[in-house]
Amino acid sequence: MYGSCTGRARLCVAAAGAVLLLAGCSSDGEKDKDKKPVVSQQPKAKDPYWVNPDGNAAKQVASYRKDGDDKNAELIRKIADQPVGEWIGPDNPEAEAKGFTEAAAKADRDALLVLYNIPHRDCGQFSKGGAADGDAYRAWVDKVAGGIGDRRATVILEPDAVLHLVDSCTPQEFHEERFDLLKGAVERLKKQPNTKVYLDAGNAGWSQPDALFEPLQRAGVDKADGFSVNVSNFFPTTVSKDFGKKLSAKVGGKHFVIDTSRNGNGPYTGGDPKENWCNPPGRALGEEPTARTGDALVDAYLWVKRPGESDGDCKGGPKAGEWWPEYALGLARGTK
């Protein structure tokens, strides 16, 4: 993907667990009291994941309402009302994991967390970086696990980390360490009694199951709850499902989840093929997050990538992970 998993959010968790529900109120008070809240929880049976009331999309809805722009506010609500992945940052992993999981627990929901801090991340592309070394990464994962505690969480582990071992993007000298770090991360996170872990397995466009199953096994997928596909990418759900099932058959029938956040119109085929994943125009939101997929092998459709956050400074976008309201509006308008 060469950077397409770059939607790591700038997280704003004040005190652990102190996340307040926004009511969408403006200074007009009484005028706005009958308007819909900024976010709402979907029926738990359909979607067990927590909706962050203080996410970028919710803040954008509130801003549009304050300006009297109800039309665009309702468009962005398509994003704000859905649970999206909370990408844990490098500096305060324990506090962030604790804050998100405590807030989710208060709402009787599961937190959806994304861990994206592997050393030599993203092969020097838009989201280059990650932990300084293996020891730093192990300590970071340990803090994330400590922050989760015994609360319910679903973790998407290291988007692209296995894929970039297969596509020759990550230098060979780092391969053994990465396998060891991923396997160790799975084992550490699974010590938490209510944590599900899905090891990322790339997407249908960059590799075939035959190229991925052995690396996934070496990375510890057997100890995980399954794997994730299509994170931050655009392949249709049917294509991703077929890809996931072929891969599942090679890794012991493991279940998987699909990122449907931006796949409503499928992949972009214009422009430079090397960057057609990066802020492509004309895309749309995909299926809403749900645990009711109608397929025994597919545990959930998730919005792992946070719709409206940039893939990188390409096609006029801000740097990776920053909120881009114009792009968010485009995704929402493209949704049928």
Side-chain angles (χ1 to χ4, degrees):
M1 251 176 266
Y2 300 102
S4 64
C5 285
T6 57
R8 180 163 55 84
R10 291 185 172 183
L11 303 171
C12 298
V13 179
V19 182
L20 303 179
L21 293 178
L22 297 177
C25 297
S26 73
S27 58
D28 293 324
E30 289 299 314
K31 176 182 176 181
D32 289 346
K33 69 178 182 179
D34 293 327
K35 289 188 176 182
K36 296 177 182 178
V38 175
V39 299
S40 61
Q41 296 286 353
Q42 303 294 329
K44 187 176 179 181
K46 173 186 177 185
D47 180 10
Y49 302 101
W50 174 64
V51 179
N52 187 346
D54 198 31
N56 285 330
K59 291 176 181 177
Q60 188 68 65
V61 171
S63 177
Y64 280 140
R65 283 186 179 168
K66 184 177 180 180
D67 294 339
D69 190 351
D70 290 343
K71 180 179 179 180
N72 281 338
E74 287 305 301
L75 282 170
I76 298 300
R77 273 180 59 87
K78 294 181 181 181
I79 299 171
D81 277 354
Q82 301 301 330
V84 298
E86 303 293 349
W87 297 61
I88 301 298
D91 298 327
N92 297 296
E94 186 168 2
E96 289 180 2
K98 184 176 182 181
F100 290 132
T101 55
E102 285 189 344
K106 288 179 180 179
D108 192 24
R109 301 296 171 118
D110 295 16
L112 177 60
L113 308 179
V114 187
L115 272 56
Y116 187 54
N117 195 39
I118 200 81
H120 318 293
R121 186 184 69 197
D122 202 37
C123 309
Q125 300 297 314
F126 290 120
S127 276
K128 63 185 177 182
D133 55 35
D135 288 341
Y137 183 74
R138 294 183 186 94
W140 182 81
V141 171
D142 188 60
K143 289 178 180 178
V144 172
I148 293 172
D150 61 359
R151 292 173 290 277
R152 300 195 305 270
T154 293
V155 175
I156 306 301
L157 182 61
E158 295 299 340
D160 281 351
V162 173
L163 177 63
H164 283 166
L165 296 173
V166 174
D167 65 9
S168 301
C169 178
T170 300
Q172 184 69 37
E173 63 190 283
F174 302 131
H175 284 205
E176 287 302 319
E177 178 188 58
R178 180 164 295 185
F179 284 127
D180 181 68
L181 292 178
L182 291 172
K183 185 175 181 179
V186 171
E187 293 174 350
R188 176 63 188 91
L189 291 164
K190 286 303 297 177
K191 289 181 179 180
Q192 307 312 117
N194 295 304
T195 297
K196 293 182 178 180
V197 180
Y198 293 88
L199 180 61
D200 190 63
N203 61 78
W206 286 92
S207 191
Q208 296 299 317
D210 285 345
L212 275 172
F213 78 90
E214 288 185 357
L216 271 180
Q217 289 171 330
R218 293 181 64 186
V221 73
D222 61 312
K223 299 292 180 62
D225 293 271
F227 56 91
S228 57
V229 299
N230 204 48
V231 170
S232 294
N233 221 290
F234 303 86
F235 289 93
T237 302
T238 54
V239 174
S240 295
K241 189 181 294 186
D242 182 63
F243 171 74
K245 287 187 173 183
K246 290 178 180 177
L247 185 54
S248 173
K250 294 180 176 293
V251 292
K254 282 289 183 179
H255 290 205
F256 59 98
V257 296
I258 302 173
D259 185 354
T260 60
S261 57
R262 305 184 298 175
N263 71 349
N265 286 340
Y268 179 62
T269 57
D272 183 353
K274 293 181 180 180
E275 285 197 0
N276 60 13
W277 54 265
C278 189
N279 298 325
R283 301 309 92 196
L285 303 173
E287 288 97 337
E288 293 181 356
T290 181
R292 291 184 173 181
T293 67
D295 192 302
L297 277 177
V298 184
D299 287 345
Y301 300 147
L302 302 175
W303 286 9
V304 182
K305 169 69 177 183
R306 300 158 68 96
E309 293 181 0
S310 178
D311 292 315
D313 54 357
C314 55
K315 300 182 181 69
K319 67 179 183 180
E322 287 196 2
W323 175 252
W324 188 7
E326 293 81 9
Y327 197 79
L329 285 169
L331 291 171
R333 291 191 188 105
T335 306
K336 297 179 181 179

